[in-house]
Amino acid sequence: MIHFYHVTKKFDRYSTALHDVTFHIEKGEFIFLTGASGAGKSTLLKLILRQMEPSEGQIVVNGRNLNAMKRSQLPLFRRDIGMVFQDFKLIERMTVFENLSFILTVLNVSPKEHKKKAYGVLRAVNLQHKLNAYPLQLSGGEQQRVAIARALINDPLILVGDEPTGNLDPDLSAEILQIFADANLRGSTVVLATHDRELIRNSGRRVMTLDHGRIIDEKVAVPERPASRDTLFGFASS
Ligand SMILES: Nc1ncnc2c1ncn2[C@@H]1O[C@H](COP(=O)(O)OP(=O)(O)OP(=O)(O)O)[C@@H](O)[C@H]1O
Ligand SMILES: [Mg+2]
């Protein structure tokens, strides 16, 4: 679904955000992207969204070669991708419904379907009762859930999150993560950049770690199991 082949991104002579990065994310996967501040996570996500272009290398997303994509093809390409950022921006003078409806208009969805789609995604994030509230009447966590609803509204093939739990407490972070997991179960391929080790730990997901623009580690965060009887008694050597 997402393929990077020897991708390098330089901003200028002194700043190389990604160095020769190659990886593949399969359809239906849920992958965490982690690494210290400045490691290149946001840059990598922006390349997937084609918000910027690589200096070297090839990127293929959803079967399309991004290097060869024309500007006129971008809106169609982005219809299939949902994105959630830490500094999610809801439009304050619009209600929750109007915020969602606005995106549907941008995505060229017929107005007849707006109510049904908006209601569907709000149910997914458990906020169906806030349809007519304004963003400032919602808590930070609720606003973030509306932002996620907005990203989910067109059943995206790919869902990208850049620190989507950045300002939230652990309980809310777990709740947000669950919404991403549900979207993944419904078929979206999920790429989530986060510093939050608690979210990643025990997740059972693939974790890609960046350091100074290079992938330094790729493994699955295996859930910790309590030691079984056999290991406790030292029998399990196989
Ligand atoms: N537009 C830009 N112009 C110049 N340099 C940039 C630009 N965007 C990012 N960089 C540099 O590229 C490197 C990677 O930045 P990036 O934002 O991808 O890191 P990150 O892993 O997302 O960090 P954080 O966890 O702080 O969000 C950093 O050294 C950053 O200073
Ligand atoms: Mg970042």
Side-chain angles (χ1 to χ4, degrees), residues 11-12 15-17 35-44 52 162-163 195:
F11 286 106
D12 52 51
S15 165
T16 305
S37 178
K41 303 181 294 296
S42 298
T43 303
L44 191 150
M52 48 176 68
D162 197 354
E163 302 281 356
H195 285 117

Side-chain angles (χ1 to χ4, degrees), residues 71-86:
R71 189 172 278 272
S72 61
Q73 297 172 306
L74 276 179
L76 196 62
F77 167 69
R78 292 206 180 120
R79 270 187 78 144
D80 292 325
I81 306 183
M83 39 191 142
V84 187
F85 296 107
Q86 184 178 350

Side-chain angles (χ1 to χ4, degrees), residues 28 40 68 73 82 89 91 98-99 153 172 176 202 204 214 232:
Q73 297 172 306
K89 295 256 187 306
I91 303 167
E98 287 162 352
N99 266 280
I153 202 152
L172 272 174
I176 299 285
N202 296 338
R214 297 176 200 272
L232 277 178

Side-chain angles (χ1 to χ4, degrees), residues 55-227:
S55 315
E56 287 165 45
Q58 299 283 322
I59 301 175
V60 177
V61 175
N62 191 19
R64 291 178 209 159
N65 180 342
L66 300 197
N67 301 58
M69 190 176 287
K70 298 198 185 84
R71 189 172 278 272
S72 61
Q73 297 172 306
L74 276 179
L76 196 62
F77 167 69
R78 292 206 180 120
R79 270 187 78 144
D80 292 325
I81 306 183
M83 39 191 142
V84 187
F85 296 107
Q86 184 178 350
D87 58 341
F88 54 93
K89 295 256 187 306
L90 299 174
I91 303 167
E92 287 179 4
R93 63 189 160 74
M94 291 187 184
T95 64
V96 166
F97 173 71
E98 287 162 352
N99 266 280
L100 298 174
S101 178
F102 175 73
I103 287 296
L104 289 169
T105 306
V106 172
L107 292 172
N108 246 334
V109 174
S110 140
K112 273 189 278 179
E113 291 186 53
H114 289 199
K115 264 248 151 71
K116 193 170 134 226
K117 286 210 176 233
Y119 200 76
V121 284
L122 284 175
R123 214 168 29 213
V125 299
N126 212 2
L127 279 180
Q128 58 274 40
H129 53 294
K130 297 288 188 184
L131 199 70
N132 295 313
Y134 286 89
L136 294 178
Q137 298 172 322
L138 302 176
S139 73
E142 287 170 341
Q143 291 180 36
Q144 182 63 318
R145 272 144 66 199
V146 175
I148 296 175
R150 187 172 58 182
L152 292 176
I153 202 152
N154 220 23
D155 291 324
L157 287 172
I158 299 173
L159 183 58
V160 170
D162 197 354
E163 302 281 356
T165 61
N167 291 323
L168 304 176
D169 66 43
D171 282 352
L172 272 174
S173 296
E175 205 176 299
I176 299 285
L177 187 68
Q178 189 56 48
I179 296 168
F180 279 88
D182 291 343
N184 180 242
L185 283 177
R186 289 196 302 273
S188 296
T189 302
V190 176
V191 188
L192 206 56
T194 182
H195 285 117
D196 190 339
R197 283 172 215 266
E198 271 310 301
L199 285 187
I200 296 175
R201 219 164 58 92
N202 296 338
S203 67
R205 314 280 192 192
R206 184 146 73 104
V207 183
M208 205 156 78
T209 306
L210 284 171
D211 182 39
H212 292 95
R214 297 176 200 272
I215 297 175
I216 54 158
D217 193 20
E218 236 192 303
K219 62 165 179 276
V220 174
V222 183
E224 286 165 16
R225 275 181 303 181

